[in-house]
Amino acid sequence: MDRLATGRASGAPVQALTIAHAARLTPDQVLLEMGSTPQGLSGSEAQRRLAQTGPNALRTHKASPWPVLWRQLRSPILILLIVTAGVSMFLGDATNSIVIGAILVVSVGLGFSNEFRAERAAEALHSRVTHTVVVLRDGKERQIELVALVPGDVVRLAVGAVIPADIRLLVGSDLLCDESILTGESLPVDKTPAPIVAEASLGDLACCLFMGTVVAAGNCTGVVVATGGRAEFGRIALGLGERQPQTEFQVGLKRFSYLLLQVALALTTLIFLANLLLGRPPLDSLLFSLAIAVGVTPQLLPAVVSTALAAGTRALAKRAVLVKRLVCIEDLGDMDVLVTDKTGTLTEGRISFTAALPARPDISAARLFALGLAATEADYSHGTVSTLGQNPLDAALWEAPAAGDFEPAGHRRLDIIPFDHRRRRTSALVADAAGNRQIVTKGSPEDVMPLCDGVPGEAQALLDEQYDAGARVVAVASRPAAGMDTISPIDERGLALAGFLVFLDRPKSNAKDSLVELSKLGITVKIATGDNARVAEKVCMDLGLESRKTLTGVQVDALSDTELAEVLPEVGIFARVSPEQKSRVISLLRREGRAVAFLGDGVNDALALHHADVGISVDSATDVAKDAADIVLMDKDLGVLAEGVREGRRIFANTIKYVLMGTSSNFGNMFSAAAASVVLSFLPMLPGQILLNNLLYDTGQLAIPGDRVDQEQLIAPSHWDIAFIRRFMLVFGPASSLFDFATFALMLFVFKAAPGEFRAGWFIESIATQTLIIFAIRTRRVPFLRSRPSGGLLGASLGVVAAGVLLPLSPLAGVLGFDPLPVPFFLALLAMTVVYLVLAEGIKKWFFSRTAQLPPMVRRRDHAHHVHRRAARFSVPHSVLSR
């Protein structure tokens, strides 16, 4: 054995080598430059290099308290309010300043604790998910974490694997790579170990594999040249930042918060100038205007969103759905097209062998069955055959009772051509006990029968009969191979059809109900299968799934992208399709603005899983498929998936409730306060009272993430629509202000209220109206009668209203600046609140009837979204950029 690489010298730095330079070197020269060997690095050398170069990481999922705290404090309005309150205290107004400071501390603490707890949940979620790669260490194959890869490591990759670093190819077999994430090229490119002679662009470096791209076909061995941010994909990914990406909804909320901030700044400036012109003390005017601005901005919005997402992951886990990243919850709820194989989803996935049907009289059923066993990829030379790792059809053959009569000595295997998804067949060179040799080919009838001479006329009728019955069929053919020691695909010719092996995979008993559930959620199900079209159509018909048009893989290849995109809405089944064809279909669906999920569990599904907006696999899937997926189902059941979609949409619906709250009554109340400050001879509320009002209101809304959601809010994906929220604000905000002005009139002209009484009355009214309005806004139905809120939201809201009523009556009233109120006020308040809620219900009906006429939004995820998604696997619990 060649010596293992242990470093050029003790503590010598790792050789810096660009991927372009490595492409011009031979494999041996690259290994020498990297201080490595074909047997890889030693364990100690790998550790030394890891300490020197840092982890192979592009993202961090560490939950640090300081960034969370900074997000709570970074509002310029909040900072200015704290400074102004401090100045006010030094100038003698200590009581008001202490009240303001105490309320701000509680408010910031509440937001911090909820958001940091959610970040800790996200960190735990990321830490549970590990991605691995096979390397040679100390001359032996080892599976290590992806982030522990170092320059000079020799890695082995197979179909479906994501390239873990920039790699110079050493050995490759029929290797194709999908580099669309890096180059934009939709077709897989050939890879070969031969060095590049001249200067070439990134896409033309055929001897190099790039981080983040995917092995579309074949397998290979290569040496790592660059890891982390030094890789080509790494530089792009780090250019987008090292933090895990925010969900599209979180990004939309951030934009909306900026909009409210601009409104708040304009409002603050106008109020401050107006109060100065009225001759009021500058410091009091500034404190009041800044408190109004704080009241307009949704302080706890990040905490509500993060809490909802974290709660969603826990709820999905209870439903046996493992979400790898928080962003996946939104993707799951967005899904409106599901592309899936039928095996194990529409069918039971327990394939059983049922019959061997000879195609000619000189072949018996037993002989045909034995030929089928000989053409499997199982090693039967030692007598005992394990079905682990075999494809389901081969496993079903070996599990059949007749397999016990198979005689390995009479079918000695000399060579084999494994199954691949282009040929869709397996061929074996076998010799009987007398030494007679023959080639046995087993595969899809459409691919085997054209290789046969003199196919009996009744064979096609026999095949059609099985297809019409919904059976899965494999054709077996053979020919003499005297004097041959090895075979290649070119030898698969001149065969004689021996017959057909018939298998049964029954439809799932609950599949029909699951399809109905998905249909109710507005999700179109499309089948992409390697089976015959008629078999897939029969299964769909048995389950009541409207399959519409069917396209075969041959027909898919015959269509241009434009032509295929035009017919996609009409196609329900894609039959006899290859992994590349599945990926092409998914990419075109995404291009049309559909949110596409792909459910797959095999090695051949990995490419499609990477191309989908959300890749879904199952716990029993191959490691490659689970590694490629964003979401893993503990049970391959469409019913479980439907529950996951509901949870994703429920989270969105509940979060939007908080946003609508902040843009209606809350915004209206703050606008009312601003207007009243100009008209009245005194401030309608003191700064501390405004902040206390806002704190109580926000505290009650923290129960929104756990609220019930009406069924109609789950039937289609919802997207962030700032125009809709702006319209909502312009309709409901003035309605809220109208009742505030009515309260002002009541206090001034009926009760002849002094400033302390006025403030207490409006404080109670604003808390009651802006808190109770949630029961109207949370549903498009009639509140309570046709849509009941959760117990948590009901209790929190009523508790906040009770606190708002009791505070002006408590011993703290004097400190807070409240005076006692007459009993008739509370009766008037009750009547006004009821009238307000009835009016809000009427406005809601009118508003949503007009909104329903607007065209739905079309959402397209940009390239950065998919770069973030691919980069998420390269994540460590500490900063990446500090290296």
Side-chain angles (χ1 to χ4, degrees), residues 78-272:
L78 189 64
I79 294 171
L80 190 56
L81 181 59
I82 294 171
V83 172
T84 308
V87 172
S88 176
M89 184 171 66
F90 282 112
L91 293 178
D93 191 4
T95 303
N96 194 36
S97 299
I98 290 172
V99 170
I100 292 173
I103 293 171
L104 287 177
V105 167
V106 173
S107 179
V108 169
L110 191 63
F112 170 81
S113 62
N114 277 276
E115 192 172 352
F116 185 59
R117 187 164 60 245
E119 291 234 346
R120 289 290 298 271
E123 179 184 355
L125 184 67
H126 277 278
S127 297
R128 265 169 53 191
V129 179
T130 57
H131 297 276
T132 59
V133 61
V134 176
V135 301
L136 291 177
R137 294 267 176 94
D138 297 313
K140 297 177 182 177
E141 283 192 1
R142 289 186 187 175
Q143 199 167 48
I144 65 168
E145 286 195 34
L146 189 69
V147 293
L149 205 62
V150 297
D153 261 327
V154 174
V155 301
R156 289 188 173 163
L157 302 167
V159 62
V162 174
I163 308 300
D166 280 357
I167 292 172
R168 172 59 165 90
L169 190 59
L170 300 177
V171 179
S173 175
D174 300 322
L175 190 61
L176 291 173
C177 282
D178 174 10
E179 297 183 343
S180 57
I181 193 76
L182 198 60
T183 65
E185 177 58 49
S186 59
L187 296 175
V189 295
D190 289 299
K191 295 293 181 178
T192 174
I196 304 299
V197 177
E199 292 285 341
S201 64
L202 199 67
D204 295 326
L205 300 181
C207 61
C208 298
L209 312 178
F210 299 101
M211 172 190 270
T213 61
V214 182
V215 178
N219 51 69
C220 67
T221 301
V223 60
V224 174
V225 175
T227 60
R230 292 171 290 278
E232 296 294 331
F233 176 77
R235 280 194 283 271
I236 295 172
L238 283 179
L240 298 174
E242 69 163 347
R243 298 294 304 177
Q244 296 293 338
Q246 291 184 307
T247 68
E248 188 120 347
F249 187 54
Q250 286 173 315
V251 172
L253 289 175
K254 184 187 291 184
R255 293 183 190 138
F256 177 65
S257 296
Y258 288 150
L259 170 66
L260 287 185
L261 182 61
Q262 291 169 353
V263 172
L265 287 171
L267 204 58
T268 300
T269 304
L270 289 174
I271 295 169
F272 179 63

Side-chain angles (χ1 to χ4, degrees), residues 211-378:
M211 172 190 270
T213 61
V214 182
V215 178
N219 51 69
C220 67
T221 301
V223 60
V224 174
V225 175
T227 60
R230 292 171 290 278
E232 296 294 331
F233 176 77
R235 280 194 283 271
I236 295 172
L238 283 179
L240 298 174
E242 69 163 347
R243 298 294 304 177
Q244 296 293 338
Q246 291 184 307
T247 68
E248 188 120 347
F249 187 54
Q250 286 173 315
V251 172
L253 289 175
K254 184 187 291 184
R255 293 183 190 138
F256 177 65
S257 296
Y258 288 150
L259 170 66
L260 287 185
L261 182 61
Q262 291 169 353
V263 172
L265 287 171
L267 204 58
T268 300
T269 304
L270 289 174
I271 295 169
F272 179 63
L273 292 176
N275 278 271
L276 285 181
L277 291 174
L278 291 171
R280 291 172 184 161
L283 208 55
D284 289 348
S285 300
L286 183 59
L287 279 171
F288 175 76
S289 56
L290 290 174
I292 289 287
V294 171
V296 171
T297 53
Q299 292 289 103
L300 292 185
L301 189 54
V304 169
V305 176
S306 301
T307 301
L309 290 172
T313 62
R314 294 192 294 271
L316 289 174
K318 291 177 182 176
R319 290 173 168 83
V321 179
L322 172 63
V323 180
K324 292 185 178 179
R325 295 172 291 122
L326 287 183
V327 70
C328 302
I329 298 176
E330 183 184 344
D331 291 336
L332 192 60
D334 273 348
M335 182 206 316
D336 59 5
V337 175
L338 172 65
V339 182
T340 177
D341 189 7
K342 67 179 182 60
T343 304
T345 50
L346 302 182
T347 64
E348 293 179 348
R350 293 192 295 270
I351 300 173
S352 57
F353 170 74
T354 59
L357 305 177
R360 57 180 203 264
D362 60 317
I363 296 287
S364 66
R367 178 61 182 155
L368 174 60
F369 182 76
L371 288 175
L373 289 175
T376 63
E377 295 183 39

Side-chain angles (χ1 to χ4, degrees), residues 430-569:
V430 297
D432 60 19
N436 299 314
R437 303 183 178 190
Q438 64 175 332
I439 295 174
V440 183
T441 298
K442 173 176 67 67
S444 74
E446 293 85 351
D447 293 282
V448 172
M449 291 172 69
L451 305 175
C452 298
D453 295 334
V455 176
E458 61 272 15
Q460 187 62 49
L462 184 64
L463 178 63
D464 291 342
E465 181 183 348
Q466 297 304 315
Y467 280 157
D468 290 339
R472 299 183 68 171
V473 183
V474 170
V476 180
S478 64
R479 74 172 177 88
M484 296 181 68
D485 296 316
T486 60
I487 54 173
S488 65
I490 199 172
D491 297 314
E492 297 173 326
R493 55 184 172 79
L495 303 171
L497 182 65
F500 304 108
L501 301 174
V502 183
F503 302 83
L504 181 63
D505 186 11
R506 291 180 176 82
K508 270 188 176 179
S509 58
N510 66 342
K512 189 169 185 176
D513 293 338
S514 299
L515 289 170
V516 171
E517 289 299 310
L518 289 172
S519 178
K520 288 179 180 177
L521 293 169
I523 297 172
T524 303
V525 178
K526 296 180 183 289
I527 309 301
T529 178
D531 277 353
N532 177 271
R534 290 160 71 177
V535 175
E537 288 169 349
K538 177 66 166 61
V539 171
C540 291
M541 184 178 66
D542 290 345
L543 293 173
L545 176 62
E546 184 184 354
S547 59
R548 301 181 299 281
K549 189 174 181 180
T550 300
L551 281 185
T552 65
V554 174
Q555 292 169 323
V556 168
D557 281 341
L559 297 173
S560 67
D561 282 354
T562 302
E563 293 169 335
L564 183 56
E566 288 177 356
V567 300
L568 280 180

Side-chain angles (χ1 to χ4, degrees), residues 5-19:
T6 56
R8 295 169 180 266
S10 178
V14 179
Q15 180 70 29
L17 190 65
T18 66
I19 194 69

Side-chain angles (χ1 to χ4, degrees), residues 669-681:
N669 283 346
M670 294 305 104
F671 179 78
S672 302
S677 70
V678 177
V679 175
L680 299 176
S681 60

